[in-house]
Amino acid sequence: MGFFVDLWNALPQDLQTVIWILVRIVIIVAPLMLLVAYYTYAERKIIGYMQVRIGPNRVGPRGWLQPIADAVKLMFKEIVIPTGANKFLFLMAPMLSIAPALAAWAVFPFGPEMVLANVNAGLLYILALTSMGVYGVIIAGWASNSKYAFLGAMRSAAQIVSYEIAMGFALVGVLVAAGSLNLVEIVEAQEGGIFHWFWLPLLPLFVIYFISGVAETNRAPFDVAEGESEIVAGFHVDYSGMTFAVFFLAEYANMILISALTALMFMGGWLSPFHGWPLLGPLFDWVPGFIWLVLKTFVFMFLFLWFRATFPRFRYDQIMRLGWKVFIPITIVWILVVGLAVVYRLPWWFD
Amino acid sequence: MTFEKFLFYVFAIILVFAAVMVVSRRNAVHSALFLVLAFFTSAMIWMLMEAEFLAITLVLVYVGAVMVLFLFVVMMLDIDTDAMRAGFIRYLPVGLLVAVLMVAEIALVVGPAHFGFDHWKLPAAHPADYSNTRELGGVLYTVYMYPFEIAAVILLVAIIAAIRLTLRRRPGTRYQNPTQQIAVRRNDRVRIVEVPGEKKMEIK
C-alpha cells in the first residue's frame, strides 16, 4: 500500500490532476452505462406488462441477464458497411451521437459538491451539447447512401431543430427564475419543500421542456426518425453490430440525461420534498440528496416508457404544428410572466 | 511554451485546415461538415480567450442550428459538379481580382500599422469567479440598449419577410382544423342504441 502512495506522490502535479479527473469520469460513465443496459430491460418488461405480456424472462433469473446477453450478441455481430456508403462518415456518425450524450454529464451536479466541472455557464453548455447530438443522426442518414436512412435523417433534422427552440425557451424561463446559468445555483434557488420547486411557478415550461425532451431524443410518440412501420428503422437502417449498439446507447443515455435534467431544473434536484415541513421534514432528513435525485430521475425515465406504450406516433405535420404553433408561443408568454414575477418578487418563490 | 499556447496552436492548425477544406472539397456535404468543424474549433479558441458565453453560443447557434439547416438543404441538392467546374478558366480573372481585393482590405485593417501588442494591450486574466455571461448582459442591456433592441427589430422584420415570401396558399388543398378536431365530443360521434336481444330460452 505504501508503495502505491509513494508512486502517486512521485507523479507530477499536472498528471495527478489528469488521472484524478479520468477516475471521476469513469465513476460517472460506468454506472451510467450499466443504467442504460438495465433501462432497456426495464423498458421491455414495463411495456410488456402494460400490454399484458411478460417480457424477457429466459436469460438468468426472471430475465435479469437479458441486457448482458444482448450486449454480447451485438459485440460479436459483423459490422456491415454498405457498398455505396462513405466509410469514414458512416463509422463517425455513431461516435458523434454518443459523445455529446456522455459529455453533457460533465457539468451535471449529483449533489451540492458532487460535480465534475462546476462551470458558470453549465446550462448553456448542456444546451449546446444536446444540440450537437443531431449530427450523428444526419450524418448516419447521409453516409448510409440509402433512401430510407436519408428520409429518417431529414425528418429528424427538422424535428430536432424545431423542438430545440421550445426547449431553449423553457430553459430561459428556468434561468430567469434562478438568476444563474450554474446548475448548482439553479437547484439552490429552489431551496425548500416540494411546493418551493420550480415545477409550480414554471408549470407550462416544465411540461413543454419534458415533451420537447421526448421529441429531441426521437422517442415515441415523436419517433418519426425511426418510424419502423414506414421507413424500416430510419437513420440507422444500415447499421449492424456494435455501430448500431452505439446509437442505441446514445439514445438511452440521452433519455436518462433529459430525465435527470428535468429533475434538476424543475423538481429540486437533490432536495428533499419534505424540506422545511414541520413533521415529515426531520423524519426524512437522513436520506442522502443523491437518493432523492435518483428517485426523481427514475420517475421521468418511467414516463418515457409509459409514453411509448400509450401514444400512437404523431404524423409529421402534427409534430411541426405542436412545436411551432403551440409550444413556442406558450414559452414566450410564460417567460414574460416569470420575468414579471421575478421583478415584483412574487412571494413564496422569488422573494 | 505554456499549455494554453500549445492548445491555441493545435486549434489554429485544425481551424485553418478545416477552412481550406471548406473551399477545396468538391462534395458540398463534405464542405458543410468541414465548416461545422471550423465553427467548433473557433469556439474553442474563443473559450481560450475566456469568452465562454460567446464560445458556447457559437456552438449552440451555428453548429447546433444554422449548420443543421445548411446540411439539410445541401444534402438534398443534386449538384452537377462537371457543369459547376466548366467555366473555371473563364471566371478565374474575376475570382483572382476579388481575392486580391479582399486580401488588400484585410491587410489595411489588420496590417502592422493597426495591429499587434503596441496597439492592443494583452488583456489581464480574470479571476475564477468572473462570469462572462453576467458582464455581457450588464453591458448589453444598459450601455448598448438601443443597438440591441434595433438589431432585434431588424431580425423580426427579416423573419416576417422570409415567412411572407415563402408562404403560398394553394386553393383546393384540404387542411385539418385541429381546434375542430379537439372540440369533438363523444356524443357527436357515438350513439349507444339499445338492441332488443332474443328472449332467453327457458330451461324447463
Side-chain angles (χ1 to χ4, degrees), chain A residues 130-153:
Chain A
T130 45
S131 72
M132 284 186 55
V134 63
Y135 279 101
V137 176
I138 300 183
I139 293 175
W142 186 77
S144 299
N145 195 24
S146 143
K147 292 273 189 303
Y148 289 123
F150 189 61
L151 280 173

Side-chain angles (χ1 to χ4, degrees), chain A residues 86 89 120-121 124-125 127-128 131-132 134-135 138-139 142 150 154 157-158 161 164 179 181 315 317 321, chain B residues 27 29-30 33 36 40 52-53 56 59-60 63-64 67-69 71-72 75-76 130-131 133-134 176 178:
Chain A
N86 183 322
L89 287 178
N120 270 332
L124 263 181
Y125 171 84
L127 253 183
S131 72
M132 284 186 55
V134 63
Y135 279 101
I138 300 183
I139 293 175
W142 186 77
F150 189 61
M154 288 293 107
V161 169
E164 221 169 64
L181 280 170
R315 215 176 44 211
D317 61 312
R321 181 181 164 272
Chain B
N27 191 324
V29 174
H30 292 181
L33 288 173
V36 172
F40 193 82
E52 77 265 8
F53 181 81
I56 298 176
V59 173
L60 180 62
V63 177
M67 285 315 293
V68 174
L69 296 178
L71 272 175
F72 189 93
M75 279 178 179
M76 285 199 284
Y130 174 82
S131 173
T133 317
R134 191 174 289 275
Q176 287 178 320

Side-chain angles (χ1 to χ4, degrees), chain B residues 7-159:
Chain B
L7 276 184
F8 171 78
Y9 281 113
V10 170
F11 289 140
I13 290 167
I14 296 175
L15 179 55
V16 171
F17 166 74
V20 170
M21 292 307 258
V22 171
V23 286
S24 62
R25 292 298 296 208
R26 297 247 173 80
N27 191 324
V29 174
H30 292 181
S31 295
L33 288 173
F34 274 112
L35 193 54
V36 172
L37 181 63
F39 277 136
F40 193 82
T41 327
S42 22
M44 293 304 115
I45 289 178
W46 287 4
M47 193 79 95
L48 280 181
M49 296 165 72
E50 301 185 2
E52 77 265 8
F53 181 81
L54 284 178
I56 298 176
T57 316
L58 180 70
V59 173
L60 180 62
V61 175
Y62 282 88
V63 177
V66 174
M67 285 315 293
V68 174
L69 296 178
F70 246 78
L71 272 175
F72 189 93
V73 175
V74 165
M75 279 178 179
M76 285 199 284
L77 294 177
D78 187 21
I79 301 171
D80 185 3
T81 39
D82 287 333
M84 292 264 295
R85 277 187 292 157
F88 185 73
I89 300 295
R90 201 156 60 107
Y91 295 122
L92 191 62
V94 186
L96 276 179
L97 185 71
V98 172
V100 168
L101 267 177
M102 277 165 72
V103 169
E105 280 174 5
I106 293 171
L108 277 178
V109 179
V110 288
H114 303 283
F115 216 62
F117 284 129
D118 305 336
H119 301 275
W120 302 91
K121 289 276 175 294
L122 199 64
H126 296 292
D129 60 341
Y130 174 82
S131 173
N132 190 249
T133 317
R134 191 174 289 275
E135 298 293 318
L136 257 178
V139 180
L140 210 55
Y141 289 100
T142 51
V143 183
Y144 298 103
M145 183 72 194
Y146 287 121
F148 183 72
E149 294 292 332
I150 291 168
V153 171
I154 291 173
L155 284 175
L156 184 67
V157 170
I159 292 174

Side-chain angles (χ1 to χ4, degrees), chain A residues 29-103:
Chain A
V29 171
L32 184 68
M33 287 290 116
L34 199 69
L35 187 60
V36 166
Y38 277 89
Y39 195 18
T40 63
Y41 173 72
E43 170 166 42
R44 294 169 69 180
K45 266 307 204 202
I46 290 169
I47 294 182
Y49 285 129
M50 283 178 179
Q51 297 168 344
V52 206
R53 297 182 282 116
I54 294 174
N57 68 341
R58 293 290 109 179
V59 191
R62 292 167 168 271
W64 285 336
L65 296 179
Q66 184 69 46
I68 314 288
D70 287 341
V72 170
K73 181 193 81 176
L74 284 169
M75 265 182 247
F76 287 105
K77 273 196 163 181
E78 186 190 354
I79 296 174
V80 182
I81 296 176
T83 330
N86 183 322
K87 196 176 170 191
F88 177 73
L89 287 178
F90 186 79
L91 294 177
M92 189 75 170
M95 291 180 228
L96 276 177
S97 71
I98 196 150
L102 295 181

